[in-house]
Amino acid sequence: MDFLIYLALVPALGVTAQWLAWRTKLPSILLLLLFGICLGHFVVQPDSLLADLTGGDETAGPNILFPLVSLSVAIIMFEGGLTLKLSELRESGSSSLRLCTVGAALAFVGNTLAIHWILGFAWHLSFLLGAILVVTGPTVIGPLLRQVKPSRRVASTLKWEGIVIDPIGAVLAVLVYEEVVLAQSAPHFSSALKSLAITGAIGVGLGVAGGALLTQALRRYWVPDHLHGVTALSLALLLFALSNMIAHESGLIVVTVLGIWLTNQKHFDVEHIIELKENLRTLLIGCLFIVLGSRVNLTDLATIGLPGIGLIFALIFIVRPVSVYLSLLRSPLNYREQTFIAGLAPRGIVAAAVSSVFALSMESRTDLNIPGSDQLATVTFLVIIGTVAVYGIAAAPLARLLKLAEETSRGVLIAGADAWVRDFAAELKAAGIPVLLVDTNYNKISQARMAGLRGECANILNEHAREDLDLAGIGRLLAMTPNDEVNSLALRECRTLFDSSRLYQLTFKSKNTAGRRGLTKNLMGRELFGEGLTFTRLSEMHAAGASLKTTKLTESFSFADFQEKYGEVTTVLCAITSEGALNINTVDAPLVPAAGQTILALVSSTPVPDKHAVKASKKRPESSQTDDANKDDEASSKDGEANA
C-alpha cells in the first residue's frame, strides 16, 4: 500500500469508527480496536509498511511509531488534566485518593497473582504486566460517563481516578521493569522508593514550573490570543520529552500536573485551549487505536485461548471489586456508589502504549530470556478488548439497577422561570419528564419550588454554578429567559454538557434578527415552538388567558379534532410518545402529532393580534416589562438585565 494512502486511511477509519459508536451507542474504543485489527490482518501492518519504506529495516516500525505514540499519549493526558477541577475534590477527593493509592496497590497485587496463576507467566513478567494493568483508561471512561450520566459524585470520582492513575501505573511499571525485570532479582525497596520519589518530584516540579511560566506569559499578554493553544501544546510536549529524558515515564506526571494547574488558575480563561485539545484528542485516540490495533496478530490472540478469557474474568469480577471495596471501606461513598465504581475499570490507550514500549525493549535485549515476554502486548490488547466490551455493555444497565442514573436522559434544563415557563415546566413534570429550572430571580425560583418544581437560583452563565447543577437524567437545554443575549450565551456555555441537537432557544425578538445591532444566527440554538414565537409573544398570550393543556391523541380523537375543538391558533409546544420520549416542536423540525402521543399545547381562549399589547396589570407577568416582539422598542427589560 502507498504510504500516503495509509496516512489518510488511518484517521478516516478512526472517525468512521467513532461515528458508528455514536450511532450504535457502543464504546468507541471497542470499534476502533476492531477496525485496527482488521486493517492489520486484511490490509497491511504498519511495521511491515515502514520496513519496506526503509529498505527492509525491521526495527524502523517500532523506532518511528513509539516516539509518536508517546507524544500522542502526552497530549491525551494533558487534555485529561485540563478537565480536572479541584473544586470537584470536595465531594470525591477522599475516594479518588484512596483508589489511586490503596486501590492501586491492591490492584497491582491482584493483577500479578491472576497473571501468574492463570497465564503461567514467570513472576518477573507477571509483576510487570500487573503494574501496566493497574491503569484504567480516561479515553474509555470519559465517553462511558457521558453516555451513562451517573450521579455527580460517582462521575467525579471515576474521572479523577481514570486520569491520575495513568501516570501512577506507568511509573510503577517503570520501577518494576528496572528493579525486577532487568535485575532478574527481588526488588530492593529502598532503591525503588528512591526512584519513585525522584520521578514524582521531577514530574510534579516541571509541571508546576511549566504551569507558572505559561500563566505569567498569558496573563501579561506576552503571547497573542491565536497562539495560546499551540503554545500550551508545544510547552506540554517539550516538558514531556525533557522529563522523560531525566526520569523515564515522569513525562506523564508533568503533562497531567500542567493541565491541572492551567484549568484551576484564575488569571485567564482556558476554554479556547481546552477546545483545541478536545478536537486533537479525538483525532489522536482514533489514530492511535487504529495503528496499535493493526499491530496485533489475530493468531497471537487465539494462541492465548481460554486462559486469556479467564484472566479477563478474574480482573473484572475479582480483582477490581476487591480493590475498590477494601480501599473505599468507611469512605463517604455508599454501597451502591462503590458497587458501580467496582463495575467500571476499562483499560485504554496508556496500557496499550506502555505495554508496547516494554515489549519492544525486551525484544531488543538479547540478555533477557523471559518466557511469555513476546505475549506482553498481545495480552494487554486482549484485556483492553475484553474490559471495554464488558464494561461498555454493562455500565448503563448497572447504573440504572443501582439507581445512580436515569433510564434515559429525557429531562430538560430550562433557563428562565417566568410565569408561563413555570406552567410549562409543571405540565412536563406531570407528564413524567424531569425538569430543572435555573434563574437569577429568587422570587421566581421560590414560586417554582412552591409549585413542586426543582429550581436553582443561579446564573446559567456562571461556570461554577453549572458545575454544581445535578444534571442526572437531564438531556436538553431550553433557553427561555426574556433576554435573547442571555439565551444565546447560555447555549454557548452549555455546549460541553449537551449535544448541539439538544440545545433550544426561543426565537429572537424582531430587533435582534437583523441589522448591525442585532445578534448573528450562529449564536442561536434550535428555534423553539414556531416562527415568531418570541418570549414576549408567548408571555402576552399567557397573560391574556391562554393556558397550557396536555392531551392524549387517539384514533378516535386525532390532532385535527384537537385543532377543531380548540382553534387553529393553538400552539403545540411538544409531544410525548407512548414510550415516554420527549419531542420538542422546533422551526427546523415541526411536529406532526400522531395517535398515541400526548401533546402539550398553549391554547388561547381569545386570539391575541400580533400588534396587541396586554395592559391588564393584574395579569401582567414578571417579565412583561420586556419590549414587544414586533415594536422594535429599544428598551431592555429589567428582568432581562437581571438574567444577564
Side-chain angles (χ1 to χ4, degrees):
M1 174 182 284
D2 183 75
F3 190 53
L4 179 61
I5 295 296
Y6 182 83
L7 291 177
L9 182 62
V10 167
L13 287 175
V15 172
T16 302
Q18 293 182 81
W19 179 81
L20 284 174
W22 169 70
R23 293 292 298 177
T24 59
K25 305 300 182 184
L26 291 172
S28 59
I29 304 301
L30 180 60
L31 291 180
L32 286 168
L33 281 175
L34 293 178
F35 272 45
I37 292 173
C38 291
L39 175 65
H41 185 72
F42 297 109
V43 185
V44 64
Q45 286 193 331
D47 296 61
S48 60
L49 185 62
L50 290 172
D52 292 340
L53 288 175
T54 55
D57 183 3
E58 296 295 333
T59 64
N63 290 338
I64 294 173
L65 282 178
F66 287 112
L68 297 178
V69 170
S70 297
L71 290 176
S72 300
V73 172
I75 295 173
I76 293 170
M77 294 301 298
F78 178 43
E79 193 277 336
L82 286 169
T83 66
L84 297 180
K85 301 286 188 180
L86 294 178
S87 58
E88 296 174 346
L89 295 179
R90 291 195 302 267
E91 288 185 326
S92 62
S94 171
S95 303
S96 301
L97 179 62
R98 293 186 185 196
L99 288 171
C100 292
T101 52
V102 178
L106 292 172
F108 173 47
V109 174
N111 294 343
T112 301
L113 295 175
I115 293 164
H116 177 71
W117 289 337
I118 296 175
L119 297 183
F121 282 6
W123 280 112
H124 297 136
L125 188 61
S126 299
F127 275 116
L128 178 59
L129 188 53
I132 293 172
L133 295 181
V134 162
V135 304
T136 54
T139 56
V140 192
I141 287 179
L144 281 178
L145 291 178
R146 286 193 292 271
Q147 178 182 335
V148 176
K149 293 185 178 178
S151 63
R152 185 173 56 198
R153 183 162 65 174
V154 171
S156 176
T157 301
L158 283 168
K159 183 174 72 171
W160 272 87
E161 181 205 11
I163 295 173
V164 173
I165 205 168
D166 273 1
I168 292 175
V171 171
L172 178 61
V174 171
L175 294 178
V176 171
Y177 183 69
E178 293 177 348
E179 298 292 330
V180 178
V181 177
L182 295 184
Q184 291 284 290
S185 63
H188 297 85
F189 290 103
S190 59
S191 175
L193 289 175
K194 180 180 178 181
S195 299
L196 179 62
I198 293 174
T199 302
I202 291 173
V204 174
L206 282 179
V208 171
L213 174 63
L214 188 59
T215 300
Q216 289 298 315
L218 297 186
R219 69 177 296 198
R220 296 180 184 277
Y221 307 105
W222 294 344
V223 181
D225 289 356
H226 68 279
L227 291 181
H228 282 187
V230 293
T231 299
L233 177 61
S234 301
L235 179 62
L237 293 178
L238 179 61
L239 292 176
F240 172 80
L242 290 175
S243 183
N244 272 354
M245 187 170 61
I246 300 171
H248 195 44
E249 294 302 331
S250 63
L252 290 180
I253 301 177
V254 170
V255 292
T256 304
V257 171
L258 177 61
I260 295 174
W261 178 284
L262 290 178
T263 199
N264 287 283
Q265 53 77 38
K266 307 299 181 184
H267 301 292
F268 61 89
D269 183 30
V270 296
E271 189 67 30
H272 56 303
I273 297 177
I274 294 175
E275 288 180 0
L276 170 66
K277 303 301 181 296
E278 286 177 343
N279 294 328
L280 191 56
R281 178 200 62 177
T282 303
L283 177 64
L284 288 176
I285 289 174
C287 294
L288 282 177
F289 273 102
I290 293 291
V291 172
L292 294 178
S294 65
R295 300 184 75 248
V296 176
N297 194 315
L298 286 177
T299 305
D300 294 338
L301 287 177
T303 301
I304 299 173
L306 290 178
I309 305 300
L311 175 64
I312 294 172
F313 181 91
L315 295 180
I316 293 175
F317 297 105
I318 300 176
V319 176
R320 176 64 176 180
V322 169
S323 64
V324 168
Y325 286 131
L326 290 181
S327 62
L328 294 182
L329 198 62
R330 297 182 180 177
S331 73
L333 299 178
N334 59 43
Y335 179 74
R336 291 184 296 110
E337 293 170 326
Q338 292 180 27
T339 300
F340 182 74
I341 292 173
L344 193 65
R347 274 58 173 187
I349 188 62
V350 174
V354 172
S355 66
S356 299
V357 169
F358 285 126
L360 172 65
S361 176
M362 284 188 288
E363 289 172 10
S364 64
R365 294 287 298 265
T366 58
D367 57 325
L368 290 179
N369 184 20
I370 302 177
S373 61
D374 57 328
Q375 294 183 314
L376 184 66
T378 304
V379 172
T380 303
F381 274 96
L382 181 62
V383 171
I384 292 173
I385 295 172
T387 56
V388 168
V390 172
Y391 290 129
I393 294 171
L398 180 61
R400 292 193 294 268
L401 178 66
L402 297 171
K403 301 187 184 305
L404 295 175
E406 295 289 335
E407 193 75 25
T408 57
S409 299
R410 299 180 302 145
V412 293
L413 171 64
I414 299 179
D418 288 82
W420 72 270
V421 177
R422 295 195 299 270
D423 287 352
F424 173 65
E427 292 295 328
L428 287 178
K429 181 187 176 185
I433 304 297
V435 180
L436 174 60
L437 296 170
V438 178
D439 199 291
T440 55
N441 190 304
Y442 184 75
N443 290 330
K444 297 178 185 178
I445 293 298
S446 296
Q447 293 182 55
R449 290 173 177 171
M450 286 188 290
L453 298 169
R454 285 178 61 205
E456 293 290 341
C457 186
N459 191 334
I460 191 67
L461 305 182
N462 186 296
E463 178 185 5
H464 302 294
R466 290 196 307 274
E467 291 174 354
D468 289 338
L469 295 176
D470 184 3
L471 299 180
I474 302 294
R476 293 179 175 89
L477 168 65
L478 275 60
M480 301 198 298
T481 75
N483 191 303
D484 287 337
E485 288 82 357
V486 170
N487 291 340
S488 293
L489 288 172
L491 264 60
R492 288 179 65 87
E493 294 299 318
C494 292
R495 286 177 300 177
T496 58
L497 301 177
F498 308 102
D499 188 76
S500 59
S501 64
R502 291 173 169 258
L503 295 173
Y504 303 84
Q505 177 180 1
L506 287 173
T507 302
F508 283 166
K509 305 178 186 71
S510 57
K511 72 167 187 174
N512 283 332
T513 57
R516 298 177 65 183
R517 296 170 63 186
L519 297 173
T520 57
K521 273 286 184 181
N522 62 356
L523 290 179
M524 289 191 67
R526 303 180 67 180
E527 295 182 67
L528 283 168
F529 308 142
E531 293 281 357
L533 291 178
T534 62
F535 179 92
T536 304
R537 175 67 175 167
L538 290 167
S539 62
E540 287 181 348
M541 292 170 64
H542 185 263
S547 60
L548 287 151
K549 185 171 183 61
T550 302
T551 305
K552 176 72 177 290
L553 299 181
T554 63
E555 296 293 343
S556 59
F557 188 77
S558 66
F559 181 60
D561 297 327
F562 178 85
Q563 287 182 308
E564 182 179 352
K565 180 175 181 179
Y566 293 104
E568 294 185 357
V569 293
T570 296
T571 302
V572 176
L573 305 182
C574 59
I576 302 169
T577 65
S578 56
E579 294 80 18
L582 176 66
N583 296 324
I584 299 177
N585 195 19
T586 60
V587 173
D588 65 302
L591 286 180
V592 182
Q597 294 182 342
T598 300
I599 61 172
L600 174 55
L602 187 63
V603 179
S604 297
S605 57
T606 303
V608 181
D610 288 341
K611 296 186 178 181
H612 177 72
V614 178
K615 297 181 180 179
S617 59
K618 291 184 179 180
K619 292 186 178 181
R620 192 174 181 85
E622 302 99 326
S623 57
S624 60
Q625 297 178 30
T626 312
D627 50 342
D628 185 88
N630 299 299
K631 291 183 179 180
D632 291 333
D633 186 1
E634 298 301 324
S636 300
S637 71
K638 294 181 180 179
D639 215 29
E641 294 296 330
N643 279 282

